[in-house]
Amino acid sequence: MPEDSGNKLSMVTCSAPVNIAVIKYWGKRDEELILPINSSLSVTLHQDQLKTTTTVACSRSFQEDRIWLNGKEEDITQARLQSCLREIRRLARKRRSDGEADVDAASLSHKVHICSVNNFPTAAGLASSAAGYACLVYTMSRVMGVEGELSVVSRQGSGSACRSMYGGFVQWIMGQQGDGKDSLAQQVEPETHWPELRVLVLVVSAERKPVGSTSGMQTSVETSSLLKHRADSVVPARMKEMIEAVHKRDFTAFAELTMKDSNQFHATCLDTYPPIFYLNDVSHRVINLVHRYNRHYRETRVAYTFDAGPNAVIYTLQQNVEEFVQVVKHFFPPETNGGQFLKGIPVALTTLSEELKQGIGMEPMVKGISYIISTKAGPGPRVVEDPSEHLLGSDGLPKKSA
């Protein structure tokens, strides 16, 4: 545990990834423990493009636990935050009493200062809470000397955070037990398994979503009969098919399941009463574009999925990335004076045939998409070794405040 001997300040910084579900989690059977009504499966995105970075400092001089998110101090008494902090401290005390940990007993009662930043828009349907809670739990575990199954802890902050505890392709097994000990994440394949798979995040809007996931889910569970049918009769078979598609690197099966499951998730949102609308006109146009593109080639080359927000996440293979990025640029022309339209992994320019443009046959929509993040599958949380990257200073306060 890194320590500043003058201040007796222990500090650790870690980063954690965003994950995008291809078989969706929507609905809880236990609100407090965050136990889902169905299993789910996601792809962990690469931290070079999308990540949360968190620094946790621990000192006997701190008067209270405090947290700063993206430069702004937030309420640390929020129930889910408290669940995670309480559970990590409990596990740390247990490890110490079992004689497994080399943590100073006094430090377990010290207060912590937490500082966390995202390098992407928060709460815009880009899984910011998943990366945030995974990063918090991973960093706290390093400070407190806790090891073992941490996905159960991060799940108590945000359900999908348990999937961000691993890289590559990850399933969240819903579990059966009332205490939630068997509701945990498990890696299906590592990030190296399918190197040709590429991901494009089409950022339609960086605005906060009108209905948060937590309240949206609760209303769906209470009012949607389609959601119950989905959880009981559809998802179990889809999970098996998706795991098999990932194992075999079968893009057609992977892509079609991904789109069908996204569509059904949003259908359950419409079946909720009153209905929830996460997709907007641009989202619908992206869906149309993908189907027309695939129809033109008479094969499934591209897939879309949407979480609780209007941003599209596109899965495709390496050989189709250049052309599809150009297709997006053609049908959603960026503002000429705007910033960088393509961020992340560089994509070479290419030209589109007139035949393809006519085959798709849509009217271009200016300013529909703000920018594209080009990325791929990536690893799970990691410790940031460089002390200059700590977000907190030696006084335990944020180095930069927004």
Side-chain angles (χ1 to χ4, degrees):
M1 190 161 64
E3 197 166 280
D4 177 328
S5 55
N7 262 354
K8 284 278 186 254
L9 188 76
S10 306
M11 202 181 300
V12 176
T13 299
C14 299
S15 66
V18 166
N19 73 76
I20 300 291
V22 289
I23 301 292
K24 304 295 188 190
Y25 147 58
W26 194 252
K28 294 185 272 286
R29 64 182 193 272
D30 186 310
E31 286 285 335
E32 196 177 327
L33 292 173
I34 310 191
L35 302 178
I37 60 170
N38 62 266
S39 297
S40 55
L41 193 142
S42 59
V43 181
T44 298
L45 304 188
H46 206 288
Q47 293 181 52
D48 284 354
Q49 285 76 47
L50 295 162
K51 67 179 174 183
T52 295
T53 304
T54 301
T55 298
V56 174
C58 177
S59 171
R60 69 171 170 217
S61 67
F62 294 163
Q63 300 300 303
E64 58 185 349
D65 291 337
R66 294 176 73 184
I67 187 166
W68 293 264
L69 301 180
N70 295 308
K72 182 170 168 269
E73 186 158 13
E74 300 284 349
D75 180 13
I76 193 104
T77 64
Q78 200 249 8
R80 290 180 173 193
L81 262 174
Q82 286 298 315
S83 290
C84 291
L85 295 177
R86 198 166 47 240
E87 187 61 11
I88 286 284
R89 284 169 164 150
R90 184 190 72 76
L91 291 170
R93 283 194 297 274
K94 184 176 184 304
R95 267 180 70 80
R96 175 152 185 90
S97 65
D98 292 349
E100 292 175 32
D102 57 354
V103 179
D104 171 21
S107 73
L108 296 181
S109 61
H110 291 168
K111 302 299 182 186
V112 293
H113 285 187
I114 301 159
C115 187
S116 190
V117 296
N118 298 333
N119 69 347
F120 57 91
T122 306
L126 274 179
S128 55
S129 63
Y133 275 105
C135 205
L136 170 71
V137 167
Y138 191 79
T139 313
M140 279 289 294
S141 73
R142 292 298 174 269
V143 170
M144 298 281 175
V146 172
E147 291 172 5
E149 181 47 67
L150 295 171
S151 74
V152 171
V153 184
S154 58
R155 188 202 74 224
Q156 293 172 50
S158 169
S160 51
C162 71
R163 298 189 310 246
S164 275
M165 300 304 290
Y166 298 95
F169 302 83
V170 184
Q171 65 170 324
W172 173 12
I173 300 163
M174 65 180 281
Q176 304 298 328
Q177 292 170 213
D179 62 5
K181 287 205 166 65
D182 62 344
S183 183
L184 44 83
Q186 191 177 75
Q187 189 179 64
V188 173
E189 289 286 359
E191 63 274 14
T192 51
H193 170 70
W194 200 349
E196 303 82 15
L197 190 71
R198 290 288 306 277
V199 183
L200 299 167
V201 183
L202 311 188
V203 180
V204 170
S205 158
E207 294 168 18
R208 191 171 281 271
K209 53 199 177 200
V211 180
S213 304
T214 303
S215 60
M217 254 181 232
Q218 206 166 351
T219 312
S220 292
V221 169
E222 289 163 6
T223 63
S224 171
S225 53
L226 177 57
L227 183 66
K228 180 167 171 37
H229 168 71
R230 167 180 163 72
D232 295 346
S233 306
V234 179
V235 172
R238 275 195 185 158
M239 282 293 291
K240 285 183 186 151
E241 289 170 40
M242 183 60 87
I243 288 169
E244 189 177 350
V246 169
H247 285 324
K248 291 180 172 175
R249 295 187 281 265
D250 179 344
F251 184 76
T252 302
F254 173 87
E256 290 178 5
L257 278 167
T258 295
M259 291 188 279
K260 285 176 180 176
D261 206 70
S262 176
N263 294 340
Q264 191 180 69
F265 156 52
H266 289 281
T268 63
C269 292
L270 287 181
D271 190 49
T272 300
Y273 190 82
I276 306 167
F277 306 99
Y278 286 122
L279 306 183
N280 61 19
D281 288 348
V282 181
S283 315
H284 293 138
R285 287 176 75 97
V286 170
I287 290 171
N288 203 3
L289 177 67
V290 168
H291 285 294
R292 287 179 181 217
Y293 180 80
N294 288 337
R295 190 178 64 205
H296 176 78
Y297 285 112
R298 295 187 174 84
E299 64 175 3
T300 306
R301 294 190 174 189
V302 175
Y304 54 77
T305 188
F306 295 82
D307 281 339
N311 297 318
V313 177
I314 300 292
Y315 290 100
T316 189
L317 296 176
Q318 179 71 45
Q319 69 255 28
N320 302 318
V321 171
E322 291 173 14
E323 184 177 81
F324 193 74
V325 165
Q326 206 58 44
V327 165
V328 172
K329 280 183 179 173
H330 179 79
F331 289 99
F332 296 97
E335 291 182 84
T336 47
N337 63 344
Q340 195 183 353
F341 187 61
L342 184 88
K343 303 168 192 274
I345 300 171
V347 176
L349 289 171
T350 186
T351 52
L352 303 179
S353 70
E354 287 305 314
E355 185 193 4
L356 176 58
K357 290 180 200 171
Q358 286 168 13
I360 291 171
M362 289 169 63
E363 283 295 312
M365 181 186 196
V366 181
K367 293 197 284 192
I369 288 168
S370 306
Y371 57 93
I372 301 173
I373 303 167
S374 165
T375 185
K376 60 183 180 180
R382 61 186 184 88
V383 176
V384 176
E385 303 290 355
D386 183 353
S388 71
E389 293 192 39
H390 287 324
L391 302 174
L392 295 167
S394 55
D395 58 357
L397 296 173
K399 286 182 182 174
K400 301 172 191 157
S401 59

